[in-house]
Amino acid sequence: MKTASSKKCLQLLLFQAVLLGPAFCGKILVWPTEGSHWLNMNVIIQELIRRGHSFTILVSNATLYIEPRAKATEKFETYYVPFTKDVPETLINGIVDLWLNNRPTVLTFWQFYKELGRLSVGWQEMNKMMCDAVLTNQELMARLQGSGFDLLLSDPVTPCGELLAVKLGIPFVYSLRFSPAFTLERHCGKIPTPPSYTPAALSELTDRMSFGDRVKNFVSYHLQDYVFQSYWGHWDMYYSKALGKPTTLCETMGKAEIWLIRTYWDFEFPRPFLPNFEFVGGLHCQPAKPLPKEMEEFVQSSGEHGVIVFTLGSMVHSLSDEKSNVIAKALSQLPQKVLWRYKGKKPETLGSNTRIYDWIPQNDLLGHPLTKAFITHGGTNGLYEAIYHGIPMVGIPMFADQHDNIAHMVAKGAAVQVDFNTMKTQDLADALNTVIYNSTYKENALKLSKIQHDQPVKPLDRAVFWIEFVMRHKGAKHLRPAAHHLTWYQYHSLDVLAFLFTCTATVVFILFKCCLCCCRRCGRIAKRKKE
Ligand SMILES: *[C@@H]1O[C@H](CO)[C@@H](O)[C@H](O)[C@H]1NC(C)=O
Ligand SMILES: *[C@@H]1O[C@H](CO)[C@@H](O)[C@H](O)[C@H]1NC(C)=O
């Protein structure tokens, strides 16, 4: 196995040396995150494998979504970390419920973030256990030390990856959609986010804000910072102990060479960024492949009306009977055919135009010429496939960044939002008719699609380039802003302002005193003259 692998690498090296100049076959360690995070990272991994690099993935043996077992090859080794506690599915359900039952409004704002912070503590505890399981396993650590990794790839919402990289003395690269309040990006990555036009994560605002919106935005940043500071703060002690010197989670995360952010300017509102931040949203998108025969026949049977693709993502398996019937009834009123990815009970009101599937080839369906609209929960992976293929959307956001994502698409004119809690049959039917029959939505979706396609270098190639760059040069320190060496008051120039203010105040005071003195003397002279 090993020799076959090195032989292939050698062949690749020779091939590249002849044709393209020197190449490099690196060894990469991965500290993954569950769910859609993994789906996205796996695309980067598979491309790097194609280019001759090899991977070791550290996964909890209780993982819910990460399934590299079947895919194990000579270039893809999985190490299962024994984990006695179940990955709490209740935690995921708790977070979904929190959002569905307590959407953050002006009044419930505080309560919401408090509760989110509390739930996040459960997530952190689990991560700490996983971290312990690796760091205290001396046999595993010795093996990792001896493996000569060139780089570690991780998602900062699951801490510990950076700690492991520092312990192994290797550079690391992040793949990230966002962290609450952009806390990690702002405080640890030092990316600037002016609150006057950069909407805070989870605020559902756009870049055009009224005075009231700007107040909300400003407060959102600070409130989320406050709540999540204690949440991330738990790790400071842990990191200090593990590294044997006083440090913080943020300081360690700040050592990341490159941050690969899973969005792009078709989706984001223009905002400042740093040279070590690369926006690679849509890197997983591909041209559509042919559909399975039975599915293609169903799609073709829709004729001129076309089809609607519907999924609420991999995290939500079933809805209440009432909800699923409301949805099914709305769909049954449409002339389009509907392909619905759903694992729950079949609703009674399901129309003959709607088919339920356990799984759908979402990208291939969205790229089908007969597809008219996409009903989505608003996860970034799905949104990007719709953007890539220029399909207008109806968003039914449920939790996490989904409300934000849909707010972005609504602001760009490519989507209509429907509220999951209050949704009536007619609301969903109206929303679908709007995006299908009012051509502005399709036009705007196509505009976004053109932006996504027309890039100097494709997002996946950029992601791969920077990972290879970091391996070739053992880092990307030339992109690192000096902001990392400043304290918060130096960063905001508060010490300079205080100094200048003191100087000005002193000068003004002296001038004032002089004037006063002069006046008094003049007064005295005038008085004497009079006498
Ligand atoms: C993971 O490993 C632990 C320890 O060996 C074991 O007790 C547990 O049952 C395993 N869990 C799963 C889901 O395989
Ligand atoms: C189509 O939608 C746009 C944006 O919401 C709206 O301004 C326009 O009036 C709509 N057109 C029709 C014909 O309803």
Side-chain angles (χ1 to χ4, degrees):
M1 290 278 266
K2 264 277 179 300
T3 49
S5 150
S6 15
K7 210 162 150 196
K8 185 149 173 240
C9 190
L10 200 70
Q11 279 173 353
L12 260 165
L13 274 171
L14 278 174
F15 176 74
Q16 297 228 352
V18 172
L19 287 179
L20 312 162
F24 176 82
C25 288
K27 291 183 82 174
I28 301 172
L29 183 63
V30 182
W31 186 266
T33 296
E34 291 278 341
S36 53
H37 298 241
W38 167 249
L39 294 181
N40 201 284
M41 194 181 267
N42 196 22
V43 174
I44 303 178
I45 294 175
Q46 294 307 325
E47 177 61 19
L48 285 164
I49 288 178
R50 210 183 56 77
R51 295 169 66 91
H53 304 284
S54 57
F55 281 83
T56 300
I57 323 276
L58 287 174
V59 176
S60 132
N61 71 342
T63 176
L64 289 176
Y65 297 95
I66 303 171
E67 289 174 358
R69 243 189 206 106
K71 283 190 235 118
T73 63
E74 60 195 79
K75 297 237 162 251
F76 192 97
E77 178 202 23
T78 314
Y79 185 89
Y80 282 96
V81 181
F83 202 73
T84 41
K85 206 174 157 203
D86 276 346
V87 175
E89 213 159 344
T90 47
L91 181 72
I92 295 170
N93 293 338
I95 290 178
V96 176
D97 282 347
L98 170 68
W99 246 282
L100 289 185
N101 300 328
N102 315 283
R103 278 288 292 291
T105 66
V106 174
L107 292 177
T108 60
F109 220 49
W110 173 248
Q111 189 56 33
F112 174 82
Y113 285 127
K114 267 300 211 212
E115 185 61 14
L116 188 61
R118 196 186 63 75
L119 280 170
S120 309
V121 169
W123 165 248
Q124 298 296 0
E125 284 310 312
M126 199 183 72
N127 288 332
K128 255 184 215 163
M129 282 172 62
M130 175 72 183
C131 200
D132 273 338
V134 173
L135 295 184
T136 59
N137 184 337
Q138 281 170 2
E139 190 198 321
L140 173 61
M141 283 304 283
R143 209 177 114 194
L144 294 177
Q145 291 278 9
S147 296
F149 290 110
D150 299 292
L151 178 130
L152 183 140
L153 186 60
S154 143
D155 184 326
V157 303
T158 310
C160 196
E162 51 287 322
L163 179 57
L164 192 57
V166 170
K167 275 191 106 63
L168 296 176
I170 53 174
F172 60 98
V173 169
Y174 280 144
S175 161
L176 172 71
R177 159 68 184 96
F178 82 113
S179 63
F182 302 125
T183 306
L184 303 181
E185 298 93 309
R186 282 159 60 226
H187 296 300
C188 317
K190 303 292 179 197
I191 199 164
T193 50
S196 50
Y197 67 96
T198 313
L202 311 181
S203 66
E204 300 172 39
L205 293 167
T206 72
D207 59 344
R208 305 290 160 99
M209 291 179 257
S210 66
F211 177 73
D213 290 341
R214 281 186 290 121
V215 171
K216 181 184 169 194
N217 199 40
F218 192 88
V219 173
S220 289
Y221 271 112
H222 289 91
L223 210 56
Q224 292 184 33
D225 266 355
Y226 175 76
V227 169
F228 286 96
Q229 217 117 57
S230 54
Y231 158 80
W232 298 113
H234 283 293
W235 285 94
D236 293 350
M237 287 266 286
Y238 189 94
Y239 274 47
S240 302
K241 211 174 128 210
L243 293 176
K245 60 168 194 206
T247 183
T248 61
L249 172 76
C250 221
E251 192 188 341
T252 316
M253 285 188 163
K255 294 184 173 17
E257 306 295 338
I258 302 282
W259 298 63
L260 301 171
I261 306 292
R262 296 196 288 265
T263 57
Y264 185 63
W265 307 110
D266 41 16
F267 173 92
E268 289 273 356
F269 301 116
R271 61 187 175 96
F273 61 99
L274 293 168
N276 60 342
F277 277 67
E278 196 66 35
F279 288 72
V280 292
L283 58 80
H284 63 293
C285 298
Q286 286 178 349
K289 292 188 286 296
L291 297 174
K293 189 156 166 288
E294 173 269 343
M295 201 175 267
E296 177 67 33
E297 278 167 12
F298 180 60
V299 171
Q300 289 299 341
S301 72
S302 66
E304 57 173 322
H305 294 298
V307 298
I308 296 169
V309 181
F310 179 16
T311 168
L312 293 180
S314 51
M315 305 277 221
V316 177
H317 293 308
S318 59
L319 304 165
S320 69
D321 283 356
E322 188 205 339
K323 234 3 132 201
S324 61
N325 277 315
V326 165
I327 291 172
K329 197 160 166 215
L331 299 177
S332 73
Q333 294 171 2
L334 301 166
Q336 282 78 25
K337 296 273 161 91
V338 184
L339 297 99
W340 182 2
R341 180 197 167 177
Y342 185 53
K343 280 189 177 165
K345 202 178 114 207
K346 188 175 156 185
E348 284 148 22
T349 53
L350 194 74
S352 59
N353 67 336
T354 309
R355 278 197 196 166
I356 291 182
Y357 296 87
D358 260 8
W359 177 85
I360 52 173
Q362 185 170 293
N363 182 60
D364 304 335
L365 273 169
L366 289 171
H368 197 285
L370 282 174
T371 300
K372 300 288 183 209
F374 180 40
I375 312 175
T376 170
H377 60 301
T380 5
N381 283 340
L383 283 193
Y384 259 107
E385 286 167 358
I387 289 176
Y388 184 88
H389 296 295
I391 302 295
M393 298 157 241
V394 169
I396 313 180
M398 303 182 85
F399 71 103
D401 58 335
Q402 296 165 2
H403 293 92
D404 272 358
N405 297 345
I406 296 296
H408 281 228
M409 290 299 102
V410 170
K412 306 219 173 205
V416 168
Q417 177 172 342
V418 178
D419 186 313
F420 181 81
N421 282 334
T422 60
M423 171 171 67
K424 298 268 175 310
T425 297
Q426 202 53 43
D427 298 332
L428 182 57
D430 287 348
L432 281 164
N433 283 323
T434 306
V435 300
I436 294 172
Y437 295 109
N438 180 337
S439 60
T440 57
Y441 292 90
K442 178 71 184 175
E443 282 157 20
N444 289 328
L446 284 173
K447 247 183 237 164
L448 297 183
S449 173
K450 285 195 186 117
I451 296 171
Q452 174 65 27
H453 283 271
D454 202 351
Q455 301 186 41
V457 182
K458 296 259 178 288
L460 182 56
D461 293 337
R462 276 186 288 131
V464 164
F465 170 80
W466 282 113
I467 290 172
E468 289 187 336
F469 182 97
V470 169
M471 290 197 288
R472 277 197 299 271
H473 301 278
K474 313 216 174 323
K477 292 283 179 282
H478 69 299
L479 300 178
R480 185 180 166 81
H484 288 284
H485 306 296
L486 301 178
T487 61
W488 63 271
Y489 57 86
Q490 287 172 330
Y491 180 88
H492 293 287
S493 298
L494 294 184
D495 49 348
V496 175
L497 287 176
F499 171 72
L500 293 179
F501 177 79
T502 315
C503 289
T504 315
T506 313
V507 169
V508 168
F509 180 74
I510 291 170
L511 285 178
F512 178 73
K513 274 290 183 198
C514 286
C515 281
L516 213 65
C517 213
C518 282
C519 287
R520 277 209 203 112
R521 193 171 295 168
C522 289
R524 236 177 284 143
I525 291 169
K527 210 169 164 194
R528 228 176 279 154
K529 269 195 183 150
K530 231 182 192 174
E531 282 167 6

